[in-house]
Every structure is written in structure tokens, then in C-alpha cells.
Amino acid sequence: MDPYVLKTLNEERRARRAAVLVTDLGDGRDRIVREGDHVAGDLGAAIANAFRTGNSRSVEAEGRSFFLNAHLPRPRLVVIGAVHISQALAPMARIAGYPVEIIDPRTAFATPERFPDVALHAEWPEDVLKRAPLDSYTALAAVTHDPKIDDFALKAALDARCFYVGALGSRKTHAKRVERLLALGAGADQIARIHAPIGLDIGAASPAEIAVAVLAQTIHAFRSRGLEAKGAVA
């Protein structure tokens, strides 16, 4: 591999940015395609699929053979709120391959006894996210029902273009949340990305069922990235 290409690829990986290494199998030349770069034709469609699925494979396009080596950051889930839903959601998400972090300044809730083997921060989201910023390969679920805790994290998730942003609460609760986020400087287009009420509509009632709905919606959001604009996702 060309040393410059390798250096570029490593820089993208360290920065948690997705990239596809495209190798022309005819002449062996490599190039890096970053997520969002425009590539036309069948090759562009194949690269878009690689970004969406994370699968590496050989493809035929424009009469040539290419190998697409997908390098995607591992998606992670940040949960705002050490509540019953979070207790069910954390082990489910780990099984699905999503590292989980839980943030809640309420030390009575954010305890290792309630959340064993989970990255737990008994701090305000403002402090934690300053050290470990969100990014487009992060999902954020805000489930405290407390604006003092949730709102900053939601605004930060929107600004970072997290691939999934969900918030617990009824439509009436969310309407008030929208007003607060607008006051914080969020745009209407940004706010429209929030899934509220949180989770797929499966009639969930218990905390564990809500956790299933949230995880399913998170996975769907991740696997359908880039398809919404094409109208391919219902």
C-alpha cells in the first residue's frame, strides 16, 4: 500500500471517520474515499453500500474490478440517564455490538451496583462530552425526563450529527422540549431528527420493552444511513 494512503487511512480511523480503501485490481492502485465524497456510477453505489453495511468485498464497475475495504468506526451508544430503561438497554446493546456509556449526575442512580461492567459517568453531560465529544458514529438516548440533564446532551448530539438521537417523553413533553432546544440555538431541521417518543412503536410498556424498542430503532438508524434522502426507507 502507498505510504501516503496508509497514513491517510490511519488518520481517518483515529478521528473516528469512516473511509473506504478502493483498490483497482487491474493495476493495484489504491485510493481513499471518505464518507460524503461523491463517486458516480456503479462504483459510487457500491461504495455507498460499503459505508452503510461495513462489508468489504470485490465489485465490478465500469468494466473494471475493484476491492472495497470498508473501515467504519465502531458505533457506540451514549445513554443520558441511569434509569431502569438504561439497566435493560446496556446489556442488550453490548450483545448487539454497541459499546455503552451512561451519563447521569445523580449519584444515587449512577452506581456501579446498578450498572456493573458499564462505562458510567456520575457527572453532568456538559463535563463528560467536553472530554469525549460525540460524533456521527454515536447514538444518543436521553431518558432522564429532566431537561436540566437531557437538553444539553440533545443539543450536543444534534450538533455532532449523531446517527441516532432519541428522547423519552410524550408528544406534549416533546413540544416543550422543542421550544427549549430552539432557545438553545438548535434549528428546526436539526430538532426534526429527534426520535420522540423514543423507540420503535411496538406498544412497549415495561422498561425492558422500551429498551428493546430503543435498540431496534438505533440499529435501524445506523443501517439505513444515507437511504433516507433517496426515499428508500419507510
Side-chain angles (χ1 to χ4, degrees), residues 29-63:
R29 293 184 179 180
D30 296 318
R31 62 167 167 146
I32 297 290
V33 177
R34 298 174 176 84
E35 195 164 23
D37 289 352
H38 176 70
V39 180
D42 293 340
L43 180 60
I47 290 172
N49 184 67
F51 277 121
R52 192 163 51 252
T53 65
N55 294 334
S56 300
R57 64 189 182 99
S58 54
V59 300
E60 300 291 328
E62 287 82 49

Side-chain angles (χ1 to χ4, degrees), residues 125-184:
E126 293 92 319
D127 298 324
V128 178
L129 300 182
K130 187 182 299 181
R131 297 194 306 268
L134 303 171
D135 57 48
S136 62
Y137 277 80
T138 301
L140 183 129
V143 293
T144 73
H145 237 310
D146 185 338
K148 297 189 301 296
I149 303 173
D150 285 347
D151 285 0
F152 175 89
L154 287 169
K155 176 63 163 54
L158 296 175
D159 289 342
R161 298 193 60 80
C162 288
F163 74 84
Y164 173 79
V165 184
L168 187 68
S170 66
R171 287 176 173 80
K172 182 177 180 180
T173 297
H174 185 60
K176 295 179 180 178
R177 180 187 293 128
V178 168
E179 293 177 2
R180 295 194 304 271
L181 290 172
L182 288 170
L184 288 174

Side-chain angles (χ1 to χ4, degrees), residues 4-232:
Y4 175 77
V5 171
L6 178 59
K7 178 183 178 182
T8 301
L9 180 60
N10 286 335
E11 288 173 351
E12 296 302 299
R13 294 173 70 178
R14 282 193 294 270
R16 280 184 56 85
R17 293 190 295 260
V20 172
L21 176 64
V22 181
T23 302
D24 188 321
L25 296 178
D27 58 22
R29 293 184 179 180
D30 296 318
R31 62 167 167 146
I32 297 290
V33 177
R34 298 174 176 84
E35 195 164 23
D37 289 352
H38 176 70
V39 180
D42 293 340
L43 180 60
I47 290 172
N49 184 67
F51 277 121
R52 192 163 51 252
T53 65
N55 294 334
S56 300
R57 64 189 182 99
S58 54
V59 300
E60 300 291 328
E62 287 82 49
R64 302 176 71 87
S65 298
F66 300 90
F67 188 80
L68 308 182
N69 196 338
H71 296 267
L72 272 60
R74 189 178 184 187
R76 61 177 179 141
L77 174 60
V78 173
V79 182
I80 308 300
V83 298
H84 292 308
I85 294 170
S86 313
Q87 287 180 291
L89 180 57
M92 293 180 190
R94 285 202 306 272
I95 291 171
Y98 288 75
V100 178
E101 294 181 48
I102 295 176
I103 303 171
D104 195 324
R106 301 171 298 182
T107 54
F109 296 119
T111 66
E113 292 74 24
R114 297 184 72 231
F115 294 92
D117 304 317
V118 176
L120 185 64
H121 306 280
E123 304 173 68
W124 288 93
E126 293 92 319
D127 298 324
V128 178
L129 300 182
K130 187 182 299 181
R131 297 194 306 268
L134 303 171
D135 57 48
S136 62
Y137 277 80
T138 301
L140 183 129
V143 293
T144 73
H145 237 310
D146 185 338
K148 297 189 301 296
I149 303 173
D150 285 347
D151 285 0
F152 175 89
L154 287 169
K155 176 63 163 54
L158 296 175
D159 289 342
R161 298 193 60 80
C162 288
F163 74 84
Y164 173 79
V165 184
L168 187 68
S170 66
R171 287 176 173 80
K172 182 177 180 180
T173 297
H174 185 60
K176 295 179 180 178
R177 180 187 293 128
V178 168
E179 293 177 2
R180 295 194 304 271
L181 290 172
L182 288 170
L184 288 174
D189 290 346
Q190 286 183 301
I191 295 171
R193 295 187 56 241
I194 299 175
H195 295 272
I198 198 170
L200 291 182
D201 185 5
I202 58 173
S206 69
E209 290 176 346
I210 295 171
V212 170
V214 172
L215 181 58
Q217 195 171 53
T218 298
I219 293 170
H220 180 263
F222 183 69
R223 293 303 179 189
S224 62
R225 291 167 303 120
L227 291 179
E228 297 89 342
K230 299 179 182 179

